[in-house]
């Protein structure tokens, strides 16, 4: 499984790790690294901010960004809704206008007949990759929604046979267990956890190392777990000094652990 790390700005030199990265076209005017780069259309952010979906603006940005993969501009919808017609027309426009670039269509948790329609539509274009997104990260903490997300994914996996499936926002250790047979995932969890004082321990998951009182369900890192982390970083040649006192360094550590280890926590195994 390919893990792609989201980069919102230049504050963290995550590209120095030599890994694939994903940017949002709303926030970037150029790509200053040579890493494999995926570009998100920003459809979800546009919707949340109450902005209009400007297809021409996305096309112009995609035209000059020197990236490897581009997500089609789609309109996220509530679970079990109909597929918006503009999602099809947006894909067709970008696919034909940017024929030298790889455009990945996105399917959401549409009602079953529309999900079938969307999959058949994109398959007719012979695309190599299709992404699944929209409700994956926000609803995985809710039992009913979690089940829906998994069932839809299984249907997509079966329908796409050997095609490449990318799951948007599903790069955390638990998500990778759920979508274990996806070809790629992306995540910004390495950064979010670090900002809240958490680090990811190889094979165990997140632990708290900050100074504040813990107000969420996460254990404080034990000395044994910290030794496990330091040993892992040393044996895998982590290229920076492993300082746990600053969120930036914690972010780099988390990113390194995400791309170089797996997660075997029993509690998560029962959920998958």
């Amino acid at each position: 499984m390919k893990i792609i790390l989201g980069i919102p700005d230049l504050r963290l030199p995550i590209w120095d790790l030599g890994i694939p990265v994903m940017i949002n076209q709303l926030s970037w005017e150029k790509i200053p690294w040579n890493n494999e780069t995926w570009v998100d259309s920003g459809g979800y952010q546009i919707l949340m901010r109450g902005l209009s979906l400007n297809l021409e603006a996305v096309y112009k940005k995609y035209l000059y960004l020197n990236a490897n993969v581009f997500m089609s501009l789609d309109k996220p919808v509530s679970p079990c809704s109909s597929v918006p017609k503009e999602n099809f027309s947006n894909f067709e426009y970008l696919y034909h206008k940017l024929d030298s670039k790889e455009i990945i269509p996105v399917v959401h948790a549409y009602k079953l007949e529309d999900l079938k329609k969307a999959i058949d539509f994109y398959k007719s274009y012979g695309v190599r990759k299709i992404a699944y997104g929209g409700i994956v990260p926000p609803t995985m903490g809710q039992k009913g929604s979690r089940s829906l997300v998994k069932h839809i994914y299984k249907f997509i996996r079966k329908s796409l046979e050997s095609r490449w499936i990318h799951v948007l926002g599903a790069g955390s250790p638990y998500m990778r267990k759920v979508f274990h047979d996806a070809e790629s995932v992306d995540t910004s969890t390495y950064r979010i956890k670090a900002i809240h004082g958490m680090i990811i321990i190889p094979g165990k998951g997140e632990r708290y190392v900050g100074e504040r009182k813990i107000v969420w369900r996460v254990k404080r890192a034990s000395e044994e777990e910290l030794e496990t982390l330091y040993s892992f970083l040393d044996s895998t040649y982590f290229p920076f000094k492993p300082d746990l006192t600053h969120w930036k360094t914690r972010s780099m550590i988390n990113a390194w652990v995400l791309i170089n280890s797996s997660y075997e926590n029993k509690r998560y195994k029962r959920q998958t």
Side-chain angles (χ1 to χ4, degrees), residues 114-221:
D114 278 48
L115 186 60
K116 293 178 180 178
K117 182 195 303 183
I119 291 173
D120 289 342
F121 176 82
Y122 296 129
K123 284 173 65 174
S124 71
Y125 278 85
V127 295
R128 295 182 301 161
K129 299 183 179 75
I130 293 182
Y132 174 38
I135 68 167
V136 175
T139 58
M140 287 302 287
Q142 306 166 22
K143 289 186 178 179
S145 298
R146 185 189 307 153
S147 177
L148 175 65
V149 169
K150 292 179 182 179
H151 283 305
I152 291 176
Y153 171 74
K154 288 180 180 178
F155 178 83
I156 295 171
R157 176 77 279 175
K158 184 177 180 180
S159 300
L160 292 178
E161 301 170 340
S162 61
R163 279 182 173 82
W164 185 294
I165 296 180
H166 177 82
V167 185
L168 291 161
S172 70
Y174 168 49
M175 291 288 200
R176 280 153 51 196
K177 289 291 183 182
V178 174
F179 305 106
H180 62 91
D181 56 353
E183 281 69 26
S184 61
V185 294
D186 66 86
T187 184
S188 294
T189 190
Y190 70 96
R191 179 187 179 105
I192 296 169
K193 291 183 185 301
I195 290 173
H196 289 92
M198 288 181 273
I199 55 170
I200 301 175
I201 305 293
K204 293 185 178 295
E206 63 267 20
R207 294 291 187 270
Y208 186 71
V209 294
E211 298 299 325
R212 299 180 181 179
K213 181 180 179 181
I214 301 176
V215 293
W216 47 81
R217 294 177 61 185
V218 60
K219 295 180 180 179
R220 183 174 290 278

Side-chain angles (χ1 to χ4, degrees), residues 1-132:
M1 176 187 289
K2 176 179 290 187
I3 302 171
I4 302 160
L5 298 186
I7 303 182
D9 50 50
L10 289 169
R11 287 184 289 173
L12 288 175
I14 210 72
W15 53 88
D16 283 348
L17 299 180
I19 57 177
V21 297
M22 177 176 283
I23 63 174
N24 190 312
Q25 65 88 14
L26 293 171
S27 305
W28 296 85
E29 297 299 326
K30 62 179 181 179
I31 299 172
W33 50 76
N34 295 318
N35 304 54
E36 175 183 340
T37 303
W38 293 41
V39 182
D40 184 37
S41 69
Y44 178 77
Q45 289 76 16
I46 291 171
L47 185 67
M48 291 297 98
R49 298 174 189 175
L51 305 175
S52 60
L53 294 170
N54 191 325
L55 179 60
E56 186 66 18
V58 173
Y59 161 68
K60 290 180 178 178
K61 181 66 72 69
Y62 281 11
L63 190 62
Y64 69 79
L65 279 176
N66 185 28
N68 303 88
V69 176
F70 299 82
M71 296 293 167
S72 183
L73 177 63
D74 61 286
K75 181 181 180 181
V77 295
S78 301
C80 300
S81 298
S82 299
V83 53
K85 292 181 179 178
E86 58 261 48
N87 286 6
F88 291 155
S89 59
N90 287 352
F91 169 76
E92 287 182 310
Y93 181 89
L94 294 172
Y95 179 85
H96 290 299
K97 294 277 284 185
L98 299 169
D99 57 355
S100 65
K101 299 180 183 292
E102 183 173 15
I103 306 298
I104 298 185
V106 183
V107 294
H108 297 274
Y110 306 130
K111 58 185 181 181
L112 185 57
E113 61 187 74
D114 278 48
L115 186 60
K116 293 178 180 178
K117 182 195 303 183
I119 291 173
D120 289 342
F121 176 82
Y122 296 129
K123 284 173 65 174
S124 71
Y125 278 85
V127 295
R128 295 182 301 161
K129 299 183 179 75
I130 293 182
Y132 174 38

